[in-house]
Amino acid sequence: NYIGDYSFYNCNEVNFNVYLRSDLNYLGEFAFYGCKNIKSIEMTNWDNLISIKKSCFESKNDVNCSENISGNLWLSRNIKRIEEKAFCGCSSINDISISEEVEYIGSKAFCNCSSCTKLGIYSEIENSKLKVIEDGAFYGCSKISGDLVIPKKVEFIGSEAFYNCAGFTSLSLSQNILTNISYRAFYG
C-alpha cells in the first residue's frame, strides 16, 4: 500500500489524473516531483496515510503537479512527520489542518502554499505532540489569517518558519518548553 521513492519523478510524457487509494500508507521521496502534466490528484481519505516523504509533491522550476492538489488538506492522525518540502508550492490548497499526532514539520514543508487562508495546528488540544517547526515550514503562505497558537510542546521554531505570513491577527507562544526561536521566524 505505497507509492515508492521517485515513482513518477519528472513524469512529463503523458497527461494523467492521479487517484490515490484510501488504504495508501506511504508516499515516497520525490514520488510526484516535477510532474507538470498531472491534471489532478485526488485522495478521498488520508486517514491511513502514515508517511509523506521529502519533496513528494514539490514543484520543479515553478512548473508543477502540486498546483493540482486543491481544496482542503486534512492530514491523518497517523502521520507523525511531514518531511522537507512535502507540499512545497501547492498553490491551490485553501486549508491546512495538522493533527495533534504530528511531531515534526520539516523545512519548507508547506512553503509557498499561496492560496491557503487557514492553518489549523491543533494546539487547543492539550496533548498536541508537535515539537519542531523547521526553517521556512510555512514560508510565503501570505494569505493565512486568524490567530496563530503554537502548541505547548514546541521546542524549536526554525528561521523564516512563518516568513511573510502577515495575515495573523495574534500570536500565542508557550513559556513552558520553547527554547529556540530562530532568525526571522515571524518576519513579514
Side-chain angles (χ1 to χ4, degrees), residues 124-147:
E124 64 272 11
I125 299 171
E126 285 297 314
N127 40 354
S128 174
K129 295 179 181 173
L130 186 61
K131 292 182 181 175
V132 175
I133 302 171
E134 286 286 1
D135 299 347
F138 297 95
Y139 181 103
C141 295
S142 57
K143 292 184 181 176
I144 296 175
S145 61
D147 300 331

Side-chain angles (χ1 to χ4, degrees), residues 131-185:
K131 292 182 181 175
V132 175
I133 302 171
E134 286 286 1
D135 299 347
F138 297 95
Y139 181 103
C141 295
S142 57
K143 292 184 181 176
I144 296 175
S145 61
D147 300 331
L148 176 60
V149 179
I150 302 297
K152 291 180 180 180
K153 291 184 181 176
V154 171
E155 299 169 355
F156 175 82
I157 300 174
S159 64
E160 300 182 342
F162 295 94
Y163 183 92
N164 197 25
C165 296
F168 292 116
T169 54
S170 71
L171 171 64
S172 297
L173 298 170
S174 173
Q175 297 177 22
N176 298 345
I177 297 175
L178 187 60
T179 56
N180 192 341
I181 300 175
S182 298
Y183 179 70
R184 298 187 338 176

Side-chain angles (χ1 to χ4, degrees), residues 11-12 25 27 31 35-36 50 57 60 65 68 81 90 93 98 100 126 137 139 152 168 170 172 174-175:
C11 184
N12 295 317
N25 298 123
L27 291 172
C35 295
K36 66 181 181 182
I50 296 168
F57 296 104
K60 177 184 176 188
C65 69
N68 296 313
R81 296 175 59 92
C90 291
I93 292 176
I98 299 170
E100 69 275 5
E126 285 297 314
Y139 181 103
K152 291 180 180 180
F168 292 116
S170 71
S172 297
S174 173
Q175 297 177 22

Side-chain angles (χ1 to χ4, degrees), residues 5 9 13 16 18 31 37 55 58 102 160 169-170:
D5 299 346
Y9 182 89
E13 301 303 317
F16 58 100
V18 176
N37 291 330
S55 301
E58 184 186 359
V102 171
E160 300 182 342
T169 54
S170 71

Side-chain angles (χ1 to χ4, degrees), residues 40-148:
S40 68
I41 297 173
E42 183 179 328
M43 185 169 186
T44 56
N45 183 353
W46 295 76
D47 287 345
N48 292 315
L49 198 58
I50 296 168
S51 181
I52 301 170
K53 293 296 186 181
K54 175 181 174 181
S55 301
C56 184
F57 296 104
E58 184 186 359
S59 65
K60 177 184 176 188
N61 301 325
D62 297 325
V63 179
N64 61 0
C65 69
S66 55
E67 67 189 21
N68 296 313
I69 300 173
S70 61
N72 300 327
L73 179 62
W74 296 323
L75 296 174
S76 161
R77 293 181 55 121
N78 296 323
I79 295 174
K80 306 293 185 231
R81 296 175 59 92
I82 302 168
E83 298 293 342
E84 175 183 345
K85 296 183 179 180
F87 295 95
C88 183
C90 291
S91 58
S92 297
I93 292 176
N94 301 325
D95 180 348
I96 299 169
S97 295
I98 299 170
S99 89
E100 69 275 5
E101 297 297 320
V102 171
E103 299 170 0
Y104 174 88
I105 299 174
S107 176
K108 298 183 180 179
F110 297 99
C111 78
N112 294 322
C113 290
S114 56
S115 294
C116 185
T117 58
K118 184 177 177 188
L119 171 63
I121 300 175
Y122 288 98
S123 55
E124 64 272 11
I125 299 171
E126 285 297 314
N127 40 354
S128 174
K129 295 179 181 173
L130 186 61
K131 292 182 181 175
V132 175
I133 302 171
E134 286 286 1
D135 299 347
F138 297 95
Y139 181 103
C141 295
S142 57
K143 292 184 181 176
I144 296 175
S145 61
D147 300 331
L148 176 60

Side-chain angles (χ1 to χ4, degrees), residues 22-38:
S22 62
D23 63 346
L24 192 64
N25 298 123
Y26 174 89
L27 291 172
E29 287 187 10
F30 297 93
F32 295 98
Y33 175 89
C35 295
K36 66 181 181 182
N37 291 330
I38 291 178

